[in-house]
């Protein structure tokens, strides 16, 4: 399962983690029209320009591209084979690769005129591809019912809307999760944290954990964009507002000051250990390395975290009002706007999200199923205790989710990395909270320009 991470995962989310690609590198890929693309997706397109062949039984070969590992490939191929069994005239040219380099390849294919009909994308790049009119607007299909989102949390499908157009449909759902060490707390007869605790209450709880267990109570999340984003929404702000930042240097200073206070109270680890936990690598999260009682992750990363510790883990929402969280698309399926098989590609997306057999095959690999009715079926079939916990907390939060924010704008990956840089300057004492905040704002403005 993937967070955004893709993870990523942070991507994004799960086993495969992608280091966000620098903006310049992406643009180089887009300009590389002369680069020979080894994946000749264009050859797979056939049919009429009106979005589908006049003869509904005419052969259609649909190209599809995604990132992931062997396990995801097997699940996806099985689901696509099921589609072909129900639509014998439709076959697939399937291509997949690891997270690293995926968006370089997608950019090159798009610029070179050989894009796939159907492709996987995440919220780091959806707005950018939509702005270039690469993605098909799925709104008309949604309104006609050909793309059925009636069983989706509203904030989940809305998180695929860019400038009023539905640019991608969530392949799965995820949300922020605060994972904590239940075994450690039980051993020292300490209370577990709960959803709805204020940030100050969380820090006070962490201070108590540190004092009694000698293990820092909480990872310092001042470098974590997920935590900062939720905190901003609780202040009536947001990460982005239109094409601009949704926050000020004063907001960032308050955020950094909050965690300076926590560090001063010994509620968090030291800067060197915090730095370790700032990694997106699931095996380095402090809750599983034993260097903190909590880690700030995506809720669906619970199973992978559990694989790296013998201790029992719990998961709750981030501190503060849980309505600041939303049903986030762990990743999307998008259709190339110029595809000659638009209707078929959309029907495949609908099938992968709403067909019971297909959803059961795919399970929770791309996140919790978007269709809430089918999510319950998958939940009943799940035997992994950690996954059941993840599903349970999202089921609880579904009733509390707020409206989804806008999809992140171009430069989002750079904003995330600049937050880590600025927060670590404050954590190590290389800059005051205000100085680090100013540096961050200036870097962000350059990133999104």
């Amino acid at each position: 399962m993937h967070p955004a991470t893709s993870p990523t995962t942070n991507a994004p989310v799960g086993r495969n983690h992608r280091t966000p690609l620098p903006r310049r590198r992406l643009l180089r890929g887009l300009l590389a029209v002369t680069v020979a693309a080894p994946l000749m997706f264009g050859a797979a397109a056939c049919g009429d320009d009106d979005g589908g062949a006049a003869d509904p039984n005419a052969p259609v070969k649909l190209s599809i591209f995604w990132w992931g590992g062997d396990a995801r490939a097997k699940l996806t191929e099985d689901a696509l084979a099921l589609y072909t069994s129900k639509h014998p005239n439709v076959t697939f040219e399937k291509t997949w690769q690891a997270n690293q380099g995926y968006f370089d390849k997608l950019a090159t294919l798009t610029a070179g005129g050989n894009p796939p009909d159907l492709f996987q994308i995440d919220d780091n790049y959806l707005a950018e591809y939509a702005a270039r009119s690469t993605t098909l607007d799925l709104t008309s299909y949604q309104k006609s019912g050909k793309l059925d989102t009636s069983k989706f949390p509203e904030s989940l499908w809305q998180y695929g809307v860019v400038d009023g157009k539905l640019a991608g449909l969530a392949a799965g759902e995820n949300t922020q999760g605060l994972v904590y060490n239940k075994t450690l707390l039980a051993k020292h007869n300490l209370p577990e944290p709960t959803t709805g605790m204020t940030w100050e209450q969380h820090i006070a709880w962490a201070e108590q954990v540190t004092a009694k267990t000698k293990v820092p109570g909480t990872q310092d999340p001042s470098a974590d964009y997920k935590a900062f984003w939720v905190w901003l929404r609780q202040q009536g702000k947001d990460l982005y507002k239109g094409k601009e930042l949704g926050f000020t240097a004063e907001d960032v200073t308050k955020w950094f000051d909050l965690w300076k206070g926590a560090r001063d109270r010994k509620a968090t680890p030291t800067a060197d250990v915090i730095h370790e936990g700032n990694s997106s690598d699931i095996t380095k999260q402090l809750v599983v390395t034993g260097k903190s009682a909590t880690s700030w992750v995506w809720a669906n990363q619970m199973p992978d975290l559990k694989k790296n510790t013998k201790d029992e883990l719990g998961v709750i929402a981030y501190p503060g009002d849980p309505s600041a969280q939303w049903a986030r698309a762990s990743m999307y399926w998008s259709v190339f706007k110029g595809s000659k098989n638009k209707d078929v590609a959309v029907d495949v997306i609908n099938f992968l999200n709403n067909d019971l057999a297909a959803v059961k095959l795919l399970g929770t690999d791309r996140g919790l199923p978007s269709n809430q009715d089918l999510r319950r079926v998958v939940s009943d079939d799940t035997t992994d205790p950690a996954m059941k916990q993840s599903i349970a907390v999202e089921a609880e939060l579904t009733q509390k989710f707020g409206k989804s924010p806008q999809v992140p704008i171009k430069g989002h990956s750079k904003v995330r990395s600049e937050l880590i840089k600025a927060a670590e300057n404050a954590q190590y004492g290389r800059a005051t909270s205000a100085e680090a905040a100013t540096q961050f704002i200036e870097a962000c403005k350059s990133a999104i320009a």
Side-chain angles (χ1 to χ4, degrees):
M1 236 172 116
H2 287 251
T5 184
S6 185
T8 152
T9 171
N10 227 326
V13 183
R15 289 186 302 271
N16 299 306
H17 296 274
R18 176 180 53 78
T19 301
L21 298 172
R23 171 95 180 128
R24 290 179 180 174
R25 186 177 173 194
L26 176 64
L27 290 175
R28 283 201 301 270
L30 293 174
L31 295 172
V33 180
T34 59
V35 175
L39 307 177
M40 297 304 291
F41 285 119
C46 60
D48 299 328
D49 289 333
D50 64 0
D55 179 1
N57 297 314
V60 173
K61 191 171 187 180
L62 202 69
S63 54
I64 181 170
F65 188 32
W66 71 87
W67 75 80
D70 292 338
R72 173 172 295 170
K74 176 66 165 62
L75 296 172
T76 306
E77 288 169 354
D78 286 350
L80 295 175
L82 181 62
Y83 184 89
T84 297
S85 72
K86 297 187 177 188
H87 306 274
N89 63 309
V90 179
T91 56
F92 296 91
E93 181 176 322
K94 305 176 288 286
T95 309
W96 60 276
Q97 67 174 67
N99 292 15
Q100 189 65 40
Y102 174 84
F103 284 98
D104 273 342
K105 176 60 67 178
L106 184 61
T108 300
L109 292 169
T110 302
N114 292 305
D117 295 300
L118 183 59
F119 56 93
Q120 192 173 287
I121 195 167
D122 67 12
D123 61 2
N124 284 303
Y125 294 102
L126 183 66
E128 195 161 344
Y129 275 74
R132 294 199 302 269
S133 295
T134 301
T135 55
L136 176 68
D137 180 7
L138 304 174
T139 304
S140 63
Y141 294 94
Q142 182 193 38
K143 288 182 176 179
S144 70
K146 292 179 180 178
L147 191 61
D148 184 7
T149 60
S150 62
K151 302 298 183 182
F152 285 37
E154 188 173 14
S155 64
L156 180 59
W157 70 258
Q158 286 179 342
Y159 194 58
V161 175
V162 179
D163 294 333
K165 299 178 180 180
L166 186 58
L169 191 72
E173 179 190 302
N174 202 1
T175 194
Q176 296 86 354
L178 180 66
V179 174
Y180 60 94
N181 189 322
K182 291 170 69 85
T183 300
L184 176 70
L185 299 177
K187 179 181 178 180
H188 294 274
N189 198 29
L190 286 166
E192 295 182 13
T194 57
T195 292
M197 288 176 106
T198 66
W199 291 89
E200 176 55 37
Q201 287 171 338
H202 173 74
I203 291 170
W205 169 85
E207 184 180 14
Q208 179 187 10
V209 172
T210 303
K212 196 159 185 181
T213 69
K214 307 307 177 186
V215 174
T218 186
Q219 159 70 332
D220 175 342
S222 53
D224 190 310
Y225 85 99
K226 303 186 301 300
F228 179 52
W229 199 348
V230 169
W231 180 84
L232 279 174
R233 284 165 62 85
Q234 291 164 348
Q235 317 307 310
K237 302 291 186 75
D238 222 315
L239 200 58
Y240 302 107
K241 185 176 181 180
K243 303 299 183 183
E244 305 295 332
L245 299 175
F247 56 89
T248 65
E250 183 180 2
D251 296 320
V252 183
T253 300
K254 290 179 180 178
W255 173 246
F256 287 168
D257 276 344
L258 175 68
W259 292 101
K260 180 183 186 304
R263 292 192 298 274
D264 291 345
R265 291 162 62 177
K266 309 299 183 186
T268 76
T270 60
D272 284 340
V273 178
I274 294 169
H275 172 73
E276 292 177 27
N278 286 340
S279 167
S280 62
D281 187 339
I282 206 73
T283 66
K284 294 181 180 178
Q285 296 304 304
L286 303 187
V287 75
V288 297
T289 60
K291 296 181 180 181
S292 175
T294 71
S295 284
W296 307 75
V297 297
W298 295 108
N300 67 354
Q301 290 179 302
M302 273 288 285
D304 292 311
L305 286 165
K306 188 64 187 72
K307 291 174 184 176
N308 289 280
T309 179
K310 295 180 180 179
D311 289 348
E312 185 179 357
L313 304 176
V315 59
I316 58 171
Y318 282 7
D321 184 352
S323 69
Q325 295 188 204
W326 67 97
R328 172 185 177 265
S330 52
M331 58 194 72
Y332 308 88
W333 285 115
S334 288
V335 176
F336 172 53
K337 187 176 181 179
S339 170
K340 295 183 178 180
N341 295 299
K342 300 181 182 71
D343 292 350
V344 177
V346 172
D347 191 59
V348 172
I349 295 177
N350 189 66
F351 177 80
L352 296 176
N353 277 283
N354 294 307
D355 180 87
L356 174 60
V359 171
K360 289 181 73 173
L361 272 174
L362 294 170
T364 56
D365 179 73
R366 285 184 171 88
L368 302 187
S370 300
N371 182 313
Q372 294 184 92
D373 286 354
L374 301 187
R375 183 185 304 176
R376 295 186 190 99
V377 175
V378 171
S379 176
D380 291 342
D381 290 346
T382 298
T383 58
D384 184 338
M387 181 56 68
K388 280 190 174 293
Q389 281 182 292
S390 178
I391 293 174
V393 73
E394 291 214 35
E396 174 192 349
L397 290 176
T398 295
Q399 309 305 317
K400 303 174 182 178
F401 280 147
K403 183 180 178 181
S404 63
Q406 69 176 71
V407 176
I409 60 179
K410 68 176 183 178
H412 176 60
S413 293
K414 182 67 172 175
V415 169
R416 289 171 52 179
S417 63
E418 289 295 340
L419 177 60
I420 295 174
K421 187 185 302 182
E424 291 193 343
N425 281 339
Q427 291 161 6
Y428 279 100
R430 294 190 290 255
T432 66
S433 295
E435 290 168 345
T438 299
Q439 294 165 4
F440 177 52
I441 290 291
E442 291 306 312
C444 287
K445 288 180 179 178
S446 176
I448 66 176

